[in-house]
Amino acid sequence: MENKDRKLPEHFSVFPLGNKNEAYAQYFIGQSYLQMLTTERLATANVTFEPGCRNNWHIHHKGGQILLVTAGRGYYQEWGKPARELHPGDVVNIPPEVKHWHGAAPDSWFAHIAIEVPAAGASNEWCEPVTDAAYNKLK
């Protein structure tokens, strides 16, 4: 998915955009950017998604994750449930062991702070991509 004609809006977020998310690119459809905010005691990152970008279905084992939406419009969906539209100020508490995905709306940049909830033995399991057919059905 190319978004070369779509520029990040000026003053999109108070947090830095970061670099292209090359380390996890294989788990995303479209381009995302990653800026670690802290790695001490609580891994916290600003994740920015270009329009149409979303991550694969995935599961946080043991610890779970918290998303703090800071800019744009996006989606969060748990396996077997309808997608939830997200806007700045929304908070998503993702319990451990819940298969889910999140990402930008097709026509909007999207950013959230991702907080990894610490737990002994915590890990992430990356699963299949969110299909274009399923994504394109979102309102």
Side-chain angles (χ1 to χ4, degrees), residues 47-91:
V47 185
T48 303
F49 302 76
E50 287 188 354
C53 178
R54 69 255 187 204
N55 53 31
N56 288 6
W57 289 97
H58 57 288
I59 303 165
H60 300 278
H61 297 294
K62 309 279 186 194
Q65 186 179 45
I66 300 168
L67 306 178
L68 307 174
V69 180
T70 58
R73 186 170 67 89
Y75 295 100
Y76 167 78
Q77 185 175 16
E78 293 181 0
W79 190 260
K81 295 184 179 180
R84 171 182 163 195
E85 189 170 293
L86 299 175
H87 302 275
D90 287 343
V91 176

Side-chain angles (χ1 to χ4, degrees), residues 2 7-8 15 17 28 34 38 40 44-45 50 57 64-65 68 76 81 89 93-94 97 101 107 119 133 136 138:
E2 290 193 34
K7 291 187 177 185
L8 181 68
F15 295 101
L17 176 66
F28 284 74
L34 180 66
T38 182
E40 294 183 29
T44 306
E50 287 188 354
W57 289 97
Q65 186 179 45
L68 307 174
Y76 167 78
K81 295 184 179 180
N93 286 291
I94 306 166
E97 314 309 326
W101 70 270
D107 60 350
N136 291 334
L138 300 173

Side-chain angles (χ1 to χ4, degrees), residues 6-13 17 33 48-49 109-110:
R6 299 183 190 183
K7 291 187 177 185
L8 181 68
E10 191 175 349
H11 308 297
F12 182 68
S13 175
L17 176 66
Y33 301 82
T48 303
F49 302 76
W109 284 78
F110 177 65

